[in-house]
Amino acid sequence: MFKRSTGDKIFDTFLYTFLILLSLAFLYPFWKVLVMAFNEANDTSLGGALLWPRKFTLQNFKVVLQNHQIYSSYLITISRTVLGTATTVIATALFAYGLSKKKLMFRNFYLTLCFITLFFSGGLIPSVINMRDLGLANNFLVYIVPAMYGVMAMIIMKSFFNSLPASLEESAMIDGANDFVIFFKIVFPSSMPVIATIALMSAVGQWNAWIDAYIFISKESLMPVQLLLQRVIQSSNAASEIVKIVPNDEILSRRVTPYSLQLATLVVAIGPIILIYPFFQRFFVKGFLIGAVKE
Amino acid sequence: MTKGMSGLERLQQAEAAHRPVHRESLLSRFKEGCRRFKAQLPLQGMVLPGIVWLIIFCYVPMYGIIIAFKDFRITEGFFAGPWVGLKHFDAFFSDPFALKAITNTLIISALKLVFGFPAPIIFALLLNEVRSLMFKRVAQTVSYLPFFISWVVMVSLMQTILSLDGPLNSLLMQLGLIHQRISFLAQPELFRAIAVLSDLWKGIGWGSIIYLAAISSIPQDMYESAYMDGANRFQRIIHITIPSIMPTIVILLILSVSGILGSNFEQHFLLGNKMVSETAETIDTYVFRTGIQAGRYSYATAIGLACSIVSFFLLISADRIARLMTKGEKGLF
């Protein structure tokens, strides 16, 4: 459309070079971790494996995935992600559907209760004390129940439900179906774009969360992978921390080091997200924009 | 019969006819309400669990703020414990560690505002200049990647890149910029730069989405007519693109300004080891350490409350200033 001057061409060259370098800066740390996780531990400690594993091995992953603690943590992470996302989506969608009906009695009161929480909160300490009092410490439910409803998610869903054509529900209402049936048979399936957005946001949040576990969980059987990683990176001596998880003689006999195991754990923890996010990011972007516009 | 009556009379008669109904209306309206409520029981059943959840998980903690004015002990509830007035607030303002935490928070937030806030805008403007759709999409997708990882993973990556024998040290050594390997994460004077840069790395791509959306809604013919008038590329950016996304910029700036008393808790908590705590400790981490880890619940709640009150007023004043500067057009509320 526009004619390009010489200045434009020079600018374009700089632009593309800069963006390529920037993209590499985003990717390289991940690549470096991947390279070292697939490299033999003793070779990694010599340094210099920058772009490609020099001595390829799966040993680090074998040790990590056979280890009892990491295995059970991974199960906890997966179950909190699946269960937490399912509960959040269904509970919040029902909540939003009910609130989207103008005929709902006390609707304004309910909505006011919701909006106030966007501006005021009890803050960290009272919330923690409250959850402890509710018996959520060392309880798997601490991952599920406090995250069950989200007011922002409710607002996004509510505006989507309101934008659905009324005729969609009317035919079912004539048949005398009750609201739950209408919701699950008609409204929920027609709202897949917004449901997917909320579900993915919740799933990423669940997968990455560690503070809740850090505060409330001391039982090792309930620890998610992120907390395990947090312990490793924050202890003054990472080696001693990972040795607690993987016994020392195992490290000696299997040609792995605490550091190589940390990297393999890291790959296991971020692998699923990195593999799926390029396909799902458009849902995130869409939902993020709906939320931003509503604000 | 009604023909000869004036409007007023007719009204009075109508009112009289309705009065007996009104007299028993309280009871009948209540009954009518109950009937309506019963009829929409399924709908109420969808909403009420959420309301109960809100009360338990949002409103009970709000009520729990009163422990900032009490001496709370963990064995007792929010109700117990003697009232102590503003004791904890006095203690907060004379606590040297708290003052240090406030200073650190303000410095880091100011740096993040100055460097971190414009970065996504510049990134969006640059991406918008890319003509190849494919290239643009790939660059965008790659830039979102850091958004999807947790700060725990982020700090692991940083330890890998910034370690003594890590790639950054090797690169700087080879370029001859440093003569001795630096332990980046253990230098208090480097902490702020690392905090700002890592925040920027993690958030720039995601932060640019909203600006790209704003840019994409600018009508193309504005660019075309500017081109006809001889505006070059930079002039088109400065005179069309930037003014068109100004409302978005102003709103996000208001939100950022109101957040300057908050720090990125996860980032500071994970990066802030003992070696760098003199610059890394912020209000959020201080509340966490004194409240959750040292068990001074009332004191930490008081700090949290003081800061959220200040933040609330910052939000309001930032909004006012934005309105004044844009003559009432751009505000949050």
Side-chain angles (χ1 to χ4, degrees):
Chain A
M1 175 182 60
F2 301 120
K3 233 166 87 184
R4 296 172 61 201
S5 66
T6 329
D8 279 346
K9 279 180 190 149
I10 295 170
F11 176 78
D12 274 343
T13 320
F14 277 112
L15 177 68
Y16 282 77
T17 318
F18 177 74
L19 287 177
I20 288 171
L21 286 177
L22 197 67
S23 302
L24 290 179
F26 285 128
L27 290 174
Y28 183 69
F30 295 94
W31 183 248
K32 171 80 179 156
V33 165
L34 205 63
V35 166
M36 293 203 291
F38 281 105
N39 202 19
E40 261 181 32
N42 296 329
D43 184 63
T44 302
S45 52
L46 298 175
L50 288 173
L51 291 177
W52 206 252
R54 264 191 309 241
K55 291 183 178 168
F56 183 84
T57 179
L58 289 174
Q59 191 65 19
N60 298 321
F61 290 96
K62 269 186 199 147
V63 175
V64 161
L65 292 177
Q66 276 166 13
N67 180 266
H68 175 71
Q69 180 59 51
I70 292 169
Y71 195 68
S72 82
S73 291
Y74 208 62
L75 277 182
I76 289 289
T77 295
I78 292 173
S79 22
R80 75 173 286 177
T81 304
V82 172
L83 289 174
T85 305
T87 5
T88 303
V89 166
I90 291 175
T92 308
L94 280 170
F95 191 42
Y97 181 68
L99 287 172
S100 74
K101 295 285 168 224
K102 295 249 157 39
K103 65 172 182 185
L104 184 81
M105 285 172 81
F106 312 119
R107 179 168 178 265
N108 284 336
F109 170 66
Y110 295 154
L111 285 175
T112 312
L113 277 183
C114 290
F115 289 136
I116 289 174
T117 64
L118 291 178
F119 293 96
F120 302 99
S121 83
L124 175 75
I125 310 288
S127 307
V128 167
I129 295 171
N130 180 38
M131 287 202 252
R132 266 193 204 145
D133 289 349
L134 290 169
L136 290 173
N138 273 323
N139 186 338
F140 180 77
L141 289 177
V142 78
Y143 301 137
I144 312 293
V145 181
M148 224 166 130
Y149 290 92
V151 170
M152 273 320 288
M154 180 279 285
I155 294 172
I156 294 172
M157 284 180 168
K158 187 168 82 74
S159 62
F160 191 91
F161 294 150
N162 277 336
S163 72
L164 291 173
S167 56
L168 203 66
E169 294 172 44
E170 271 160 12
S171 57
M173 264 187 273
I174 293 163
D175 295 340
N178 86 28
D179 293 301
F180 280 94
V181 177
I182 296 175
F183 176 76
F184 282 110
K185 286 250 163 89
I186 297 169
V187 177
F188 197 81
S190 334
S191 307
M192 271 311 144
V194 75
I195 301 286
T197 301
I198 304 292
L200 285 162
M201 289 196 176
S202 158
V204 170
Q206 287 280 5
W207 189 274
N208 282 338
W210 60 275
I211 295 183
D212 48 6
Y214 182 87
I215 296 175
F216 294 105
I217 302 291
S218 54
K219 265 195 216 159
E220 269 153 18
S221 58
L222 287 175
M223 241 182 245
V225 178
Q226 300 281 346
L227 184 60
L228 217 60
L229 278 175
Q230 185 271 338
R231 292 194 159 194
V232 174
I233 62 168
Q234 264 213 316
S235 63
S236 50
N237 184 357
S240 72
E241 193 63 40
I242 204 121
V243 167
K244 265 189 231 157
I245 303 165
V246 181
N248 216 345
D249 52 334
E250 200 172 353
I251 289 187
L252 286 176
S253 61
R254 303 250 205 137
R255 291 172 289 122
V256 292
T257 60
Y259 187 50
S260 72
L261 292 182
Q262 183 192 336
L263 294 169
T265 314
L266 197 59
V267 171
V268 169
I270 56 181
I273 288 209
I274 292 189
L275 289 180
I276 65 164
Y277 100 91
F279 305 101
F280 290 107
Q281 46 122 345
R282 65 193 174 93
F283 288 113
F284 284 96
V285 174
K286 208 184 289 167
F288 178 74
L289 290 176
I290 302 175
V293 170
K294 287 289 142 193
E295 189 58 57
Chain B
M1 165 201 159
T2 51
K3 242 183 191 161
M5 287 193 329
S6 72
L8 187 68
E9 276 171 322
R10 222 179 296 162
L11 201 71
Q12 279 168 344
Q13 200 186 30
E15 232 177 83
H18 279 283
R19 207 164 286 142
V21 183
H22 263 287
R23 207 164 284 153
E24 39 173 36
S25 69
L26 254 178
L27 186 67
S28 67
R29 267 171 65 195
F30 178 74
K31 276 186 180 161
E32 163 69 12
C34 284
R35 197 193 57 72
R36 263 176 64 207
F37 194 85
K38 242 183 199 166
Q40 54 172 245
L41 213 52
L43 275 184
Q44 294 283 349
M46 292 174 177
V47 175
L48 283 174
I51 297 297
V52 171
W53 182 92
L54 274 179
I55 290 167
I56 294 176
F57 286 96
C58 298
Y59 285 91
V60 171
M62 272 189 230
Y63 179 74
I65 290 178
I66 59 163
I67 66 168
F69 306 96
K70 288 184 164 201
D71 268 335
F72 174 79
R73 279 178 292 268
I74 192 69
T75 43
E76 300 162 350
F78 289 138
F79 299 96
W83 292 94
V84 295
L86 297 176
K87 176 180 132 189
H88 300 297
F89 293 89
D90 288 341
F92 169 46
F93 290 112
S94 51
D95 175 352
F97 295 106
L99 288 180
K100 190 81 209 158
I102 295 176
T103 325
N104 283 338
T105 309
L106 289 176
I107 295 175
I108 291 265
S109 299
L111 289 172
K112 282 186 180 168
L113 206 60
V114 171
F115 295 102
F117 184 76
I121 304 175
I122 296 167
F123 185 58
L125 291 175
L126 289 179
L127 272 179
N128 190 48
E129 292 302 313
V130 172
R131 284 210 184 70
S132 150
L133 256 184
M134 185 69 189
F135 185 89
K136 189 175 165 184
R137 197 165 299 157
V138 171
Q140 245 178 307
T141 307
V142 167
S143 73
Y144 299 158
L145 174 57
F147 174 81
F148 289 92
I149 59 167
S150 66
W151 270 100
V152 174
V153 169
M154 179 74 190
V155 171
S156 294
L157 294 180
M158 287 166 71
Q159 288 179 344
T160 305
I161 297 298
L162 301 176
S163 68
L164 271 181
D165 55 352
L168 186 64
N169 263 314
S170 307
L171 181 74
L172 292 176
M173 287 285 273
Q174 290 218 323
L175 293 175
L177 292 172
I178 52 171
H179 302 293
Q180 214 168 9
R181 287 176 180 266
I182 302 171
S183 153
F184 290 102
L185 293 172
Q187 310 289 327
E189 62 274 18
L190 286 180
F191 180 83
R192 286 174 184 143
I194 289 174
V196 171
L197 281 174
S198 55
D199 217 41
L200 204 144
W201 187 83
K202 199 169 187 300
I204 188 172
W206 194 252
S208 70
I209 294 177
I210 194 153
Y211 296 113
L212 282 168
I215 290 174
S216 71
S217 66
I218 302 173
Q220 267 303 306
D221 48 359
M222 276 170 74
Y223 289 103
E224 275 156 34
S225 45
Y227 177 75
M228 293 301 182
D229 291 345
N232 68 29
R233 206 148 155 194
F234 294 101
Q235 288 167 328
R236 292 199 294 269
I237 294 176
I238 286 168
H239 295 292
I240 300 176
T241 318
I242 293 182
S244 308
I245 61 173
M246 226 9 158
T248 315
I249 295 180
V250 169
I251 286 181
L252 292 181
L253 191 62
I254 295 174
L255 289 174
S256 315
V257 168
S258 71
I260 60 173
L261 280 190
S263 57
N264 186 331
F265 170 77
E266 297 196 24
Q267 179 192 28
H268 284 262
F269 186 70
L270 293 169
L271 279 177
N273 51 46
K274 284 202 184 69
M275 287 169 281
V276 296
S277 67
E278 57 175 288
T279 49
E281 186 86 294
T282 58
I283 299 171
D284 288 344
T285 57
Y286 190 65
V287 166
F288 190 82
R289 279 184 231 279
T290 50
I292 307 290
Q293 292 178 329
R296 296 170 66 192
Y297 297 99
S298 286
Y299 182 54
T301 308
I303 303 178
L305 178 59
C307 291
S308 42
I309 291 172
V310 175
S311 297
F312 188 73
F313 282 107
L314 280 176
L315 179 70
I316 305 280
S317 4
D319 180 58
R320 280 292 132 77
I321 293 170
R323 267 167 210 261
L324 280 180
M325 278 169 56
T326 58
K327 296 182 190 71
E329 283 167 34
K330 287 148 196 167
L332 262 191
F333 311 110

